[in-house]
Amino acid sequence: MQYAQVLINLPFDKKYTYSFSTDMRPEKGDRVIVPFGKKNRKGIIINVQKELPDGVDAEKIKNIEKLYPEYFRLTEFQFEIARRIWRYYLSSYSQALFTVAGAFKPVRIKKKKLTSNPYTPFLLNKEQESCVREFNESDNNIFLLHGVTGSGKTEVYFELISQVLKNKKQILFLLPEISLTPQLLKRFCDRFGEDICVFNSSLSNGERNYAFKAFKDGKVRILLGTRSAVFLPAQDLGLIIIDEEHENTFKQQDTPCYDARMIANWRVELEEVRLVMGSATPRMESFYKARRNIIKLLSLEKRADNRKMPEVNTVTMGETDKVSKNISRRLYNSINESLQRREQVLIFINRRGYSSFVMCQACNEVIRCINCNISLNYHKKLDRLLCHYCGYTKRLPEACGECGEPELKLIGSGTEKLEDELSKLFPEKNIFRVDKDTSSKKDFYFDFFEKMKQRKIDILIGTQMIGKGFDFPYVTLSSVLCADFILDFPDFRSAERTMQLLIQVAGRSGRGIEGKVIIQSYAPDHYAVESAVRHSYQYFYEKEIESRKIMRFPPFISLVRLILRAKDKRNLFSSSREIVRILKESLPAKDILGPAEAPISYIKGRHRFNILLKLSSNRKKYYKVIRNILENNYKGVDIKIDVDPVDMF
DNA sequence: TCCTTGGTGATT
DNA sequence: ATCACCAAGGAG
Ligand SMILES: [Zn+2]
Ligand SMILES: [Zn+2]
């Protein structure tokens, strides 16, 4: 008789023992479906043995229900990555292992068809060439490619990729969002033919399985994927590229809160791989490492093809003349100029929906979500109020719930409101909106790119997603309507995030034809705004790094955030105090921040508290205390651990 | 008395 | 995580 010890995807690490039918040959690393409690669950075999393990009742043992095909068997490499996640990100080992293994269903593989129109590659310019040369000559295996927007980072990537292909090795290319895939995939196919595969959550189960197997077997040499693709095993990996490395989407928000950029670093240690991270606005952490030669800096300081950087102007809101609620006279005139030349305009606004809150005219009461401590947003298209944190929705009430006043004001503008404003100002122009509400439709991005390319869109408005690395040559004006909104966030990275947004949005303008940028701001003198005006990332970096040093924030220390959640606020408060008391017993008080109410103190019916730990040295000491706390049981309180958090919400 | 709610324990 | 079980407490 043989027994398989199986881990189930649970927040604790207990091995369960199963038997199996004689025609099955399961081995360590095999993925299985097993009966567990009332229903079947996914499992991973961590051991197969002849003896029944101690303390297991032979009567209770059930048979493995289903064995995944052999190509899904986890490799030693995958086990090692899981071990590192478990240790570094403080999750359970089984959560780490399941994260590395990925979500697959044992269905028939299905190949996705691709088409390509091959062309002769362009010659690199001097700067691009010297990046490639420095890459080849460096002893370092990790690189930061810092290139201004429009400097042709992709051309450098392509040259590095073609070198790796000549050596018959594989390439893993990560990008922050699915929405960037279609545009880039086309460029990849045209350059490298059909030796390429996509891996992200838009694939069907069969297509995912094909991509997994093909890359693992070395049948496909280039893989283009999002965050979770960083775990894909390869036959012979030569290069990992992380494009737009500053994007927070590389960090997973639920347990284990891993960072794909960290996993890629680990792969450099484990495999014979080099890593290139590219951005016009790198994370402070990355640039700091580059400055200290821990990683090698490659720079592109000019736009490709002698194209000029767009001229950036600021408009001081509150002092300036406006043509409508969100549009200054200056911006209006510039939009007109671009449109008269039949060019395109791109406008960024931070919120979706119509208005961000509804306030009573008489008593100033704001309508809030019943599950969250946050105002409800009004969506005109739905004609309903909507919570952006939990999805709660209700009709706009006839009158104020507090005082009965029938007049309610809509305050704070979103994409829908801006769409309204612009269609009144430019009634005969085509205005197109991109946000979470419009982009959920299938093939949305495909249609959107086609329309942009064929200039069927005159004014493009959108949230975060329009600032992310798109290349639209006819955009000659880009604008941020309110540059300051992030600056008010209670987060030490708010200035960095503002700088990144402004430089990225500015970077969408003037990529084909000379263009300009207008930033509307209440604080145009802030160094984050100033850095965008000067097109100088370094200007920002020098100022920000000083403040990080003085304030003891990354990159000078590491952070671990404990997020405590509970239904009962009193209980949460006393548990938080108790946890901080335990922390203070073995850690210096200056390294413990909190407990503090989270910026959004109540989400989905749970109150939230944050405790922030600053780890300067001796990581082990801190981890030991945290592990101890996780082993205690604070009833009714859920503790989530976020190592190297990218936000504080 | 019936029914909802919260805490506890087990899952192989 | 998920589910069953049991005890407690409130409405009828
Ligand atoms: Zn009122
Ligand atoms: Zn809500």
Side-chain angles (χ1 to χ4, degrees):
Chain A
M1 191 66 180
Q2 291 217 96
Y3 301 95
Q5 293 201 293
V6 175
L7 282 179
I8 318 280
N9 191 4
L10 294 170
F12 53 86
D13 292 323
K14 186 165 161 42
K15 293 173 253 181
Y16 293 90
T17 306
Y18 288 86
S19 53
F20 44 87
S21 63
T22 47
D23 57 330
M24 259 185 210
R25 294 271 174 280
E27 284 184 27
K28 180 189 172 187
D30 267 326
R31 309 195 59 173
V32 290
I33 306 278
V34 290
F36 188 76
K38 276 268 153 184
K39 49 176 101 159
N40 286 345
R41 308 224 11 181
K42 287 177 187 155
I44 294 171
I45 297 177
I46 52 161
N47 194 26
V48 180
Q49 58 187 61
K50 292 223 159 56
E51 319 77 42
L52 185 70
D54 288 343
V56 178
D57 185 353
E59 302 285 294
K60 286 185 177 170
I61 290 181
K62 297 174 185 169
N63 261 349
I64 290 171
E65 182 81 21
K66 191 175 170 72
L67 185 66
Y68 276 51
E70 195 185 318
Y71 64 86
F72 278 121
R73 183 174 298 154
L74 272 72
T75 60
E76 262 321 302
F77 155 74
Q78 288 173 293
F79 277 105
E80 174 59 23
I81 295 285
R83 216 151 25 232
R84 288 180 181 223
I85 290 180
W86 163 64
R87 292 216 305 253
Y88 187 84
Y89 289 105
L90 292 158
S91 68
S92 74
Y93 180 65
S94 63
Q95 279 173 321
L97 198 56
F98 276 86
T99 301
V100 173
F104 293 97
K105 288 216 170 79
V107 298
R108 269 194 89 77
I109 65 170
K110 188 179 161 217
K111 192 174 172 180
K112 205 179 167 88
K113 282 188 196 73
L114 296 171
T115 54
S116 61
N117 307 297
Y119 67 98
T120 327
F122 310 114
L123 288 175
L124 297 182
N125 65 29
K126 276 230 159 65
E127 272 195 325
Q128 293 167 333
E129 245 175 37
S130 77
C131 283
V132 173
R133 195 173 50 245
E134 285 180 54
F135 175 87
N136 287 330
E137 289 168 0
S138 177
D139 297 330
N140 212 318
N141 283 322
I142 304 178
F143 299 83
L144 176 65
L145 174 57
H146 175 228
V148 299
T149 55
S151 60
K153 286 189 290 292
T154 313
E155 295 303 324
V156 175
Y157 297 149
F158 279 5
E159 180 55 33
L160 299 179
I161 289 169
S162 74
Q163 288 184 9
V164 175
L165 288 174
K166 278 185 200 128
N167 294 327
K168 309 267 179 242
K169 291 195 165 204
Q170 291 171 284
I171 297 100
L172 185 56
F173 192 108
L174 300 183
L175 67 190
E177 264 200 65
I178 297 180
S179 60
L180 295 168
T181 309
Q183 214 181 18
L184 197 63
L185 177 64
K186 189 174 168 352
R187 287 180 74 178
F188 263 100
C189 287
D190 291 351
R191 173 75 184 252
F192 299 110
E194 282 122 65
D195 190 6
I196 173 167
C197 220
V198 168
F199 188 89
N200 58 42
S201 55
S202 75
L203 300 186
S204 70
N205 287 318
E207 289 166 347
R208 286 173 74 79
N209 291 356
Y210 171 76
F212 179 86
K213 188 171 188 301
F215 200 61
K216 189 182 179 187
D217 295 345
K219 293 273 160 52
V220 147
R221 312 258 287 290
I222 306 171
L223 193 128
L224 187 57
T226 45
R227 182 177 62 232
S228 63
V230 79
F231 296 118
L232 294 177
Q235 174 71 236
D236 189 8
L237 193 60
L239 178 64
I240 302 174
I241 295 172
I242 300 182
D243 195 21
E244 309 293 350
E245 72 94 36
H246 61 281
E247 290 289 346
N248 285 346
T249 48
F250 290 116
K251 185 80 165 39
Q252 176 144 71
Q253 292 301 316
D254 20 64
T255 313
C257 301
Y258 73 87
D259 191 321
R261 296 162 293 201
M262 179 63 92
I263 311 294
N265 270 267
W266 292 344
R267 287 190 83 150
V268 172
E269 291 168 22
L270 294 170
E271 298 168 277
E272 232 174 81
V273 190
R274 303 183 109 188
L275 167 63
V276 177
M277 297 182 284
S279 175
T281 53
R283 290 173 292 163
M284 291 297 290
E285 289 88 333
S286 301
F287 206 74
Y288 179 72
K289 278 188 194 163
R291 278 285 171 88
R292 303 186 62 199
N293 287 316
I294 296 166
I295 62 178
K296 169 78 181 160
L297 182 66
L298 309 170
S299 302
L300 296 169
E301 285 166 15
K302 291 200 269 304
R303 282 198 162 175
D305 313 323
N306 298 317
R307 202 80 66 203
K308 276 202 290 185
M309 293 301 284
E311 183 189 316
V312 180
N313 294 295
T314 58
V315 173
T316 311
M317 296 307 273
E319 293 174 10
T320 194
D321 186 19
K322 292 197 290 184
V323 295
S324 65
K325 184 133 191 306
N326 294 293
I327 313 276
S328 60
R329 169 76 53 194
R330 180 95 177 263
L331 176 57
Y332 175 76
N333 290 342
S334 297
I335 296 174
N336 253 329
E337 285 167 25
S338 278
L339 294 182
Q340 268 161 22
R341 292 193 300 264
R342 282 212 70 258
E343 295 157 1
Q344 293 170 312
V345 175
L346 179 150
I347 303 178
F348 173 90
I349 184 163
N350 59 315
R351 263 185 266 266
R352 66 192 169 99
Y354 191 85
S355 81
S356 50
F357 46 104
V358 181
M359 191 191 267
C360 168
Q361 188 86 270
C363 75
N364 285 352
E365 181 72 15
V366 171
I367 303 180
R368 293 176 172 280
C369 176
I370 51 164
N371 306 315
C372 311
N373 184 15
I374 196 97
S375 63
L376 291 175
N377 297 53
Y378 176 63
H379 283 239
K380 197 173 188 182
K381 197 139 186 221
L382 297 168
D383 191 24
R384 287 182 82 83
L385 296 167
L386 179 67
C387 173
H388 288 178
Y389 288 85
C390 73
Y392 170 78
T393 163
K394 73 172 189 179
R395 288 192 49 193
L396 190 64
E398 303 285 328
C400 171
E402 286 295 303
C403 73
E405 163 70 38
E407 281 298 310
L408 301 171
K409 288 184 285 188
L410 299 177
I411 301 180
S413 304
T415 46
E416 284 184 344
K417 173 75 168 50
L418 180 62
E419 193 177 18
D420 260 23
E421 261 180 74
L422 287 166
S423 40
K424 278 182 196 125
L425 293 168
F426 305 99
E428 75 291 4
K429 296 296 178 185
N430 292 310
I431 298 164
F432 195 82
R433 174 163 65 92
V434 182
D435 56 31
K436 200 178 147 200
D437 303 314
T438 60
S439 66
S440 49
K441 281 176 242 139
K442 200 169 169 278
D443 292 332
F444 171 83
Y445 282 102
F446 186 80
D447 295 344
F448 164 50
F449 292 131
E450 283 302 301
K451 280 189 178 142
M452 273 310 270
K453 204 165 72 184
Q454 296 165 12
R455 291 202 259 181
K456 286 182 178 160
I457 297 170
D458 300 311
I459 305 175
L460 174 67
I461 60 186
T463 53
Q464 323 295 333
M465 13 186 108
I466 64 166
K468 284 181 188 167
F470 292 124
D471 192 11
F472 299 126
Y474 301 112
V475 172
T476 57
L477 173 66
S478 66
S479 179
V480 177
L481 289 190
C482 180
D484 322 274
F485 78 98
I486 306 174
L487 286 175
D488 303 328
F489 287 6
D491 186 330
F492 72 93
R493 269 189 265 254
S494 60
E496 183 180 357
R497 302 257 321 275
T498 302
M499 173 276 296
Q500 287 165 339
L501 172 75
L502 297 181
I503 291 186
Q504 293 293 340
V505 171
R508 297 317 108 207
S509 178
R511 295 175 80 97
I513 319 161
E514 197 172 321
K516 62 173 171 175
V517 179
I518 292 184
I519 296 172
Q520 299 188 153
S521 169
Y522 287 94
D525 298 331
H526 191 282
Y527 62 100
V529 181
E530 186 61 27
S531 68
V533 173
R534 296 175 183 220
H535 297 293
S536 176
Y537 171 84
Q538 278 88 344
Y539 175 83
F540 176 86
Y541 176 84
E542 302 301 348
K543 300 212 181 260
E544 181 71 7
I545 201 76
E546 283 309 310
S547 110
R548 297 286 177 93
K549 192 169 190 171
I550 293 161
M551 304 300 285
R552 294 186 73 236
F553 273 117
F556 297 97
I557 49 104
S558 315
L559 294 174
V560 175
R561 182 165 73 120
L562 282 70
I563 306 121
L564 313 176
R565 293 171 297 195
K567 279 190 181 162
D568 183 62
K569 196 170 177 178
R570 298 195 73 85
N571 179 19
L572 178 61
F573 192 67
S574 60
S575 297
S576 311
R577 294 276 296 267
E578 172 61 11
I579 288 167
V580 167
R581 195 190 60 74
I582 296 169
L583 289 168
K584 282 191 173 156
E585 276 175 6
S586 33
L587 303 174
K590 70 174 172 58
D591 293 347
I592 306 163
L593 273 58
E597 222 169 43
I600 298 163
S601 59
Y602 185 64
I603 298 183
K604 294 182 184 173
R606 284 168 179 270
H607 297 277
R608 300 148 53 83
F609 269 74
N610 275 334
I611 298 170
L612 204 56
L613 298 178
K614 290 183 170 180
L615 284 61
S616 35
S617 56
N618 198 358
R619 231 186 153 86
K620 267 190 187 158
K621 188 172 82 180
Y622 293 80
Y623 271 42
K624 206 177 153 198
V625 188
I626 300 168
R627 282 271 188 219
N628 278 341
I629 287 166
L630 290 176
E631 275 162 27
N632 295 350
N633 183 26
Y634 301 92
K635 54 183 179 178
V637 182
D638 168 59
I639 305 173
K640 182 172 141 178
I641 304 290
D642 190 354
V643 177
D644 303 333
V646 293
D647 63 51
M648 297 299 146
F649 291 102

